[in-house]
Amino acid sequence: MYFFDIVSIFITMLFLVVCVLVGVAFLTLLERKVLGYIQIRKGPNKVGFMGLLQPFSDAIKLFSKEQTFPFMANFNVYYMAPAVNLSISLLLWMSMPFLSVYLNFNLSILFFLSVSSLSVYSLMLAGWSSNSSYSLLGSLRAVAQTISYEVSLALILMSFIYLILSMNLLDFTKIQKFTWLLFLMFPLSLMWVISGLAETNRTPFDFAEGESELVSGFNIEYSSGGFALIFLAEYSSILFMSMICVLLFMGGNVNSFMFFLKLTFVSFIWIWARGTLPRFRYDKLMYLAWKSFLPSALNYLLFFFCLKMSIFIFLM
């Protein structure tokens, strides 16, 4: 019986990973289409009906191109870093509450925070192993940015946890049966979305790949399959952060079709931000994390802690 359960969990995990990768493919198509219409042009519209097969064409092109290898690069780490990056990004999805259990145990939020903090190492190794000044500077920026916003993400999550008194993502679905936490915790929800944009290195916080000063950031020396894996990891993280946003404060019932529409809408907001907002200054980004979000998140945390304590004392 246990063997059958383990096999079924592995099969469903594999199915989820395949679905995520297909979702990532069409998210790139959506981004190119939306950015095209924002800039008053068509976007990809030649491959397949209205460009629907464009992502698969791009994937075949990327994986079939010649793999370049920088002469001074650290060979093993250089090749392993993109694969590790994608693996960590896909491992995050195992905490998603679904019909099957996956890794959705009682500490799934702790699992999410632990695994997401590991992605820092793959970025750092990708930049360092290329042995290029540009890629090293890009990776240092990305690491500093990611670590800074992980602090605010964790503190914002702690406010949610105090309100729910559970670390299981399924309980967020249950408690939002009648009203969304978006209305109860509106400022924290906005802070979460902004921190999510910074965590995934997206515009207006894409300093790791600032074209004007860093050319392309930590992935400058990567081509072909290595670049494709980094690209897939980034968009997988965007989809995952969108899913977490829906679960936390938009009443995410995974069993309903509305959940996937909400997920698409939040992913669209990620793309919309890229098409409309200019890049921040790097010092302003750090100021926002340490001087604005950190005190605000701590104040909200203290508020929710006192609220739960007062309710507990009142019920006693």
Side-chain angles (χ1 to χ4, degrees):
M1 185 63 187
Y2 289 117
F3 176 74
F4 177 75
D5 289 342
I6 291 168
V7 169
S8 63
I9 286 172
F10 271 109
I11 289 170
T12 47
M13 278 182 175
L14 186 65
F15 183 68
L16 176 66
V17 166
V18 170
C19 289
V20 167
L21 291 174
V22 172
V24 163
F26 285 106
L27 179 64
T28 59
L29 178 66
L30 176 69
E31 178 174 45
R32 292 174 68 181
K33 281 284 190 184
V34 169
L35 290 178
Y37 282 110
I38 285 173
Q39 296 160 3
I40 319 175
R41 55 187 178 81
K42 281 286 184 186
N45 63 345
K46 298 296 182 193
V47 185
F49 177 68
M50 293 177 66
L52 279 176
L53 298 178
Q54 185 70 46
F56 305 104
S57 167
D58 291 340
I60 293 166
K61 181 201 77 173
L62 275 172
F63 283 106
S64 60
K65 281 173 76 174
E66 182 186 357
Q67 176 77 50
T68 58
F69 173 64
F71 180 66
M72 298 293 288
N74 188 324
F75 186 85
N76 294 325
V77 182
Y78 174 82
Y79 268 106
M80 285 302 294
V84 171
N85 197 4
L86 181 61
S87 303
I88 290 169
S89 186
L90 291 175
L91 186 62
L92 273 173
W93 280 93
M94 297 305 121
S95 62
M96 179 182 179
F98 210 54
L99 293 174
S100 174
V101 178
Y102 293 156
L103 300 180
N104 176 41
F105 38 83
N106 289 330
L107 300 176
S108 48
I109 286 180
L110 199 60
F111 175 82
F112 153 60
L113 287 172
S114 305
V115 175
S116 64
S117 61
L118 285 175
S119 61
V120 170
Y121 296 103
S122 61
L123 294 185
M124 185 173 64
L125 289 173
W128 169 79
S129 64
S130 302
N131 208 10
S132 159
S133 301
Y134 290 117
S135 60
L136 184 61
L137 280 171
S139 69
L140 288 175
R141 280 190 174 200
V143 166
Q145 178 178 329
T146 306
I147 290 172
S148 300
Y149 278 88
E150 266 171 14
V151 174
S152 67
L153 280 178
L155 285 170
I156 293 165
L157 258 180
M158 281 176 70
S159 296
F160 282 95
I161 290 164
Y162 266 126
L163 197 64
I164 306 299
L165 292 180
S166 169
M167 282 196 174
N168 195 333
L169 284 168
L170 267 177
D171 292 331
F172 284 89
T173 302
K174 293 172 187 171
I175 206 157
Q176 294 181 83
K177 189 174 181 182
F178 299 108
T179 183
W180 292 358
L181 288 179
L182 178 69
F183 305 121
L184 294 175
M185 308 168 80
F186 186 69
L188 278 178
S189 303
L190 289 181
M191 284 164 61
W192 175 269
V193 171
I194 294 166
S195 299
L197 276 169
E199 180 76 9
T200 50
N201 294 324
R202 295 289 293 178
T203 310
F205 309 119
D206 56 339
F207 302 103
E209 45 198 58
E211 292 88 0
S212 53
E213 65 276 12
L214 291 176
V215 189
S216 182
F218 63 91
N219 58 12
I220 183 172
E221 298 290 352
Y222 284 97
S223 64
S224 179
F227 175 76
L229 292 178
I230 291 172
F231 191 74
L232 285 170
E234 181 183 333
Y235 281 82
S236 169
S237 300
I238 292 168
L239 266 183
F240 181 77
M241 290 302 292
S242 304
M243 189 271 288
I244 289 287
C245 288
V246 174
L247 276 177
L248 287 184
F249 47 80
M250 292 179 73
N253 182 9
V254 186
N255 301 328
S256 73
F257 181 67
M258 279 303 293
F259 172 82
F260 298 98
L261 287 180
K262 291 174 199 168
L263 198 155
T264 308
F265 174 71
V266 178
S267 303
F268 170 75
I269 289 174
W270 250 250
I271 297 165
W272 194 8
R274 180 178 177 183
T276 52
L277 298 174
R279 190 179 290 131
F280 261 43
R281 270 205 342 246
Y282 194 75
D283 59 318
K284 285 191 173 184
L285 172 87
M286 289 302 175
Y287 185 94
L288 183 70
W290 295 107
K291 300 282 184 72
S292 300
F293 281 4
L294 186 64
S296 304
L298 282 170
N299 280 321
Y300 269 105
L301 185 60
L302 192 62
F303 168 70
F304 283 111
F305 174 72
C306 296
L307 180 70
K308 294 304 279 190
M309 286 300 291
S310 58
I311 290 169
F312 181 70
I313 292 165
F314 177 75
L315 291 175
M316 288 287 284

